[in-house]
Amino acid sequence: MSGGVELVVIGADGGPERSFGGSARAARGARLLAEALPGVCFDTGNQGCRTTLVPPGADANTILTALREAAKQEGRWLVVCLLGQLVADPRARRLALVTAGSTPDNAYRRGLAWDWVVSTMVHGAQEEALLLVDAVAAPDTWAALGGSTGEQGAAELLAHSRVPLWGRVGPYPGGRRGRSAVLPGAEGSFSWALARVLEKGVPGAPPAVGPADLQPAVVAELARGELASGVEARLLVPPAGGRLLIRNRAAVRGALAGLSVSEELLAVLWRESAPTDPPSA
């Protein structure tokens, strides 16, 4: 599917282990994004976006294989969504996404290593890449990430110059205190907020917007969850620029508001048959 979007959505469920309860709603958030994102890719739509929704109970090798298969496809963009609970190695130098069947003793070794994901995206056949993150971290991993400010080693653990990040990483204290955390996929999480913004659009914004244009609206949605929980998270802000364009449904609704029913139908047909080259091409 040359010229399209490869979308890989990974919502990893850590299983029944209580200390990995931060991933309990990750599969739900993954489904939200897998449903919301394809239809709003401005110059491709559903037909030009191939979506891979990885089963929540998949192990690290299965997830990585799915990601590598998607990265081999030539196209304009590789968009990867990573949802679940993060864990650091004992030296707090590397991160992994907790996968099913993990225990506190082997979670880092069995999990999906963050650098595997980033390396696969860097070497993909697509022109641009974007990594969406909706994750939580237990206290030791949260400390390695520098907490909400990201002052301690977060750049080394998370960032890569060729893989822009967009999302939220929050703390997960575990136990009964974990009930107050905003879990990935739950109400107030990044995936929940982004899905709401994509559905509603941003009034007053252009018909085609980039991730940075949507960020203020997403932050406004996230604030509701953080105010309710009292838990401060770290936001990953997408850079301005790039050619990934997203349909602003609020602008489309505004443009069609004054048309008759027959004219609305004509407008929809025109939009679906319009050339697939983005406005920036």
Side-chain angles (χ1 to χ4, degrees):
M1 187 176 52
S2 179
V5 176
E6 287 291 328
L7 174 64
V8 182
V9 188
I10 303 164
D13 188 340
E17 171 62 43
R18 181 174 297 182
S19 59
F20 300 144
S23 65
R25 306 298 296 275
R28 178 180 182 273
R31 290 193 299 269
L32 284 176
L33 294 180
E35 293 171 359
L37 283 166
V40 295
C41 294
F42 187 84
D43 67 325
T44 62
N46 281 300
Q47 294 182 351
C49 182
R50 190 176 77 162
T51 303
T52 302
L53 179 58
V54 181
D59 60 20
N61 287 333
T62 300
I63 298 173
L64 187 60
T65 298
L67 179 55
R68 286 175 173 171
E69 287 299 317
K72 292 178 182 177
Q73 308 300 319
E74 293 186 2
R76 290 192 178 125
W77 305 282
L78 173 62
V79 180
V80 178
C81 307
L82 208 61
L83 297 89
Q85 184 168 336
L86 297 175
V87 62
D89 72 309
R91 296 185 178 183
R93 293 182 180 178
R94 300 179 69 190
L95 287 175
L97 185 73
V98 176
T99 54
S102 298
T103 69
D105 295 330
N106 66 17
Y108 172 70
R109 294 190 301 273
R110 290 191 57 149
L112 178 68
W114 182 281
D115 52 348
W116 293 353
V117 175
V118 172
S119 176
T120 301
M121 296 180 70
V122 167
H123 295 95
Q126 293 77 20
E127 297 174 14
E128 295 186 24
L130 178 65
L131 178 55
L132 276 64
V133 183
D134 189 2
V136 291
D140 53 348
T141 303
W142 181 242
L145 292 171
S148 60
T149 61
E151 294 176 352
Q152 305 174 20
E156 177 184 350
L157 290 174
L158 290 174
H160 192 287
S161 60
R162 292 177 57 187
V163 181
L165 301 177
W166 187 18
R168 175 188 184 276
V169 179
Y172 177 68
R176 292 189 175 183
R177 291 182 299 168
R179 296 177 182 177
S180 64
V182 180
L183 301 185
E187 183 173 341
S189 67
F190 172 74
S191 52
W192 174 87
L194 179 57
R196 284 174 62 88
V197 170
L198 294 178
E199 176 62 29
K200 297 186 298 183
V202 181
V209 293
D213 302 313
L214 295 177
Q215 178 67 4
V218 174
V219 170
E221 294 286 352
L222 288 173
R224 301 180 184 181
E226 293 189 2
L227 286 173
S229 67
V231 176
E232 186 178 3
R234 181 171 178 233
L235 298 182
L236 306 173
V237 181
R243 296 195 305 155
L244 180 62
L245 297 177
I246 298 172
R247 292 183 189 273
N248 179 13
R249 285 179 167 160
V252 174
R253 284 193 293 268
L256 296 178
L259 300 181
S260 68
V261 175
S262 59
E263 289 173 327
E264 284 187 10
L265 178 58
L266 289 174
V268 171
L269 294 174
W270 175 84
R271 187 172 71 247
E272 293 298 326
S273 62
T276 58
D277 289 336
S280 58

